[in-house]
Amino acid sequence: MHAEDRAVRLAGSVALMGILYLLRTVLVSFLVAVALASLLTPLANRLTRRLGWSRGATVLGMAVGLTLLLGLLSCLIIPPLSTQIRILGAEAPRYAQALERALAPDSGTASPLLTSLYRQVSSRIERALANTLDHSADILIDFGSHLQYLMVIPILVFYMVRDASLIQRRVHAVLPPAYREVVVILMRSSSRALRGFVSAQLALSAIAGALTTLGLLVLGMPQAVVLGAASGFLESVPYMGPIAVGTLAAVVALPWGTGLVVRVVVLYVAIRLLMDFVIGPRILGRAMHLHPLTVLFAMLVGGQLLGVAGFFVAPPLAAMAAPAVRWTLARTERVGAVPSSAEELEGAIA
């Protein structure tokens, strides 16, 4: 009987994982909405108490205010950013030629092995670029097919923030009484971890983008604004994002000589050391308790399952799952005993 129960549970788990994989695009949109809602709900609670408005009026006022703020920022940031992006695209052949000259072996002194290796690498890069151009239309069509999921995110956030108390009561009502307190506290801890991760990541992205832009401007680097913006955006992709932007910046600096390339590389290394060993641990340490290897492993798994989107959603998913994992481990150490009080449960997942 027990073996049959385990088989049924295993089959149900496999079926559930299959359904979640098929709905991965919807789940990514839902997770983004949950992350934004967890960040905005405390602000909505404070404004509702302070202003004395109804919950719906407060959330609607927040939506209008955020829309106006984003519109103002767009008017200030997008025009210079788009100009530099166009310049960067127009100068792409020049950067490619400079990179080819830098990597090309000296025909007079290079060994046959090095020459052959260079030709193979160049051929593969050219094929990769050709394949990317050939599939660019497919990429745009795929992005357009997922656009409706992006457009529904603000609507989901609005209802999640407006009806946060109602959603909590509904979830509380459908839970089995024996596990009601446990699940509620785990959900609260997961929401707190997610909110901390999102706020910390936004702060780190802003700091990385500002430091990179300022440093590149001081060095006289062309397209400093767009490279700094890319650094801030890709800061949310641990390890791989900063490396990709640093490599791009070094390539962009090639036409202006190796001196500028060296200065740009030194700048990016200095910023990475500052972000990874000074600023990052201070900000993330207060927001979540995850080892960097855990974040990296979650990111690789997310990228394997969800593609590019997986690199962004895997770290917050790991942050949300961490309290439940810690509680499960604490329960296993107690030989299956459920904590007898809310204080004990909070201590187990802290």
Side-chain angles (χ1 to χ4, degrees):
M1 185 64 180
H2 294 294
E4 294 178 357
D5 290 340
R6 285 195 295 269
V8 170
R9 290 179 180 179
L10 178 60
S13 300
V14 172
L16 178 61
M17 293 296 292
I19 293 173
L20 293 178
Y21 179 76
L22 293 175
L23 299 177
R24 59 190 182 278
T25 304
V26 178
L27 292 177
V28 169
S29 303
F30 185 78
L31 178 62
V32 172
V34 169
L36 294 175
S38 67
L39 195 64
L40 296 175
T41 297
L43 177 61
N45 294 338
R46 288 195 293 268
L47 289 177
T48 301
R49 290 192 299 267
R50 178 170 297 182
L51 299 176
W53 295 356
S54 66
R55 183 73 174 191
T58 302
V59 177
L60 182 60
M62 289 175 57
V64 173
L66 288 174
T67 301
L68 293 177
L69 179 61
L70 291 176
L72 178 61
L73 291 176
S74 299
C75 293
L76 295 176
I77 296 175
I78 288 181
L81 199 61
S82 61
T83 300
Q84 291 206 358
I85 290 175
R86 286 195 297 270
I87 295 175
L88 192 64
E91 294 287 335
R94 183 182 181 186
Y95 303 143
Q97 292 173 3
L99 180 61
E100 184 177 0
R101 287 195 301 270
L103 296 178
D106 189 351
S107 58
T109 60
S111 64
L113 178 62
L114 181 60
T115 304
S116 175
L117 180 63
Y118 167 74
R119 290 175 178 173
Q120 291 181 14
V121 171
S122 300
S123 176
R124 291 187 179 184
I125 292 176
E126 291 175 0
R127 287 200 300 269
L129 291 175
N131 291 334
T132 301
L133 293 175
D134 291 340
H135 293 87
S136 58
D138 296 334
I139 295 173
L140 292 175
I141 293 173
D142 183 67
F143 177 79
S145 66
H146 292 85
L147 190 60
Q148 69 269 24
Y149 299 107
L150 299 177
M151 295 175 63
V152 80
I153 289 176
I155 301 174
L156 291 174
V157 173
F158 176 82
Y159 285 110
M160 287 179 181
V161 177
R162 192 194 68 174
D163 300 329
S165 299
L166 176 62
I167 293 173
Q168 292 176 0
R169 290 196 299 269
R170 294 287 176 84
V171 171
H172 188 271
V174 300
L175 292 174
Y179 293 94
R180 186 169 294 166
E181 186 178 31
V182 172
V183 175
V184 169
I185 294 178
L186 287 175
M187 290 177 60
R188 188 187 308 149
S189 300
S190 297
S191 177
R192 187 165 56 244
L194 178 61
R195 184 165 60 249
F197 174 83
V198 173
S199 58
Q201 195 60 61
L202 289 175
L204 289 176
S205 295
I207 294 172
L211 288 177
T212 305
T213 302
L214 181 61
L216 293 177
L217 288 174
V218 171
L219 294 178
M221 180 73 180
Q223 289 81 50
V225 175
V226 67
L227 291 172
S231 297
F233 179 73
L234 291 179
E235 182 69 21
S236 57
V237 182
Y239 311 109
M240 296 183 181
I243 292 175
V245 180
T247 304
L248 175 61
V251 172
V252 172
L254 272 175
W256 283 266
T258 56
L260 182 59
V261 174
V262 171
R263 290 194 294 271
V264 167
V265 171
V266 171
L267 172 67
Y268 270 87
V269 170
I271 292 176
R272 286 320 324 151
L273 292 175
L274 184 64
M275 294 296 298
D276 292 339
F277 295 101
V278 180
I279 299 176
R282 289 178 179 272
I283 294 178
L284 286 176
R286 298 175 182 176
M288 53 188 296
H289 303 285
L290 288 180
H291 193 276
L293 286 177
T294 304
V295 177
L296 181 59
F297 178 76
M299 183 186 66
L300 293 175
V301 173
Q304 180 69 30
L305 295 177
L306 303 175
V308 177
F311 290 105
F312 292 91
V313 302
L317 274 177
M320 292 177 64
V325 172
R326 284 194 287 267
W327 173 74
T328 302
L329 294 176
R331 182 182 177 184
T332 302
E333 292 176 358
R334 290 178 169 84
V335 196
V338 178
S340 58
S341 65
E343 292 77 10
E344 187 180 353
L345 177 57
E346 292 279 8
I349 63 177

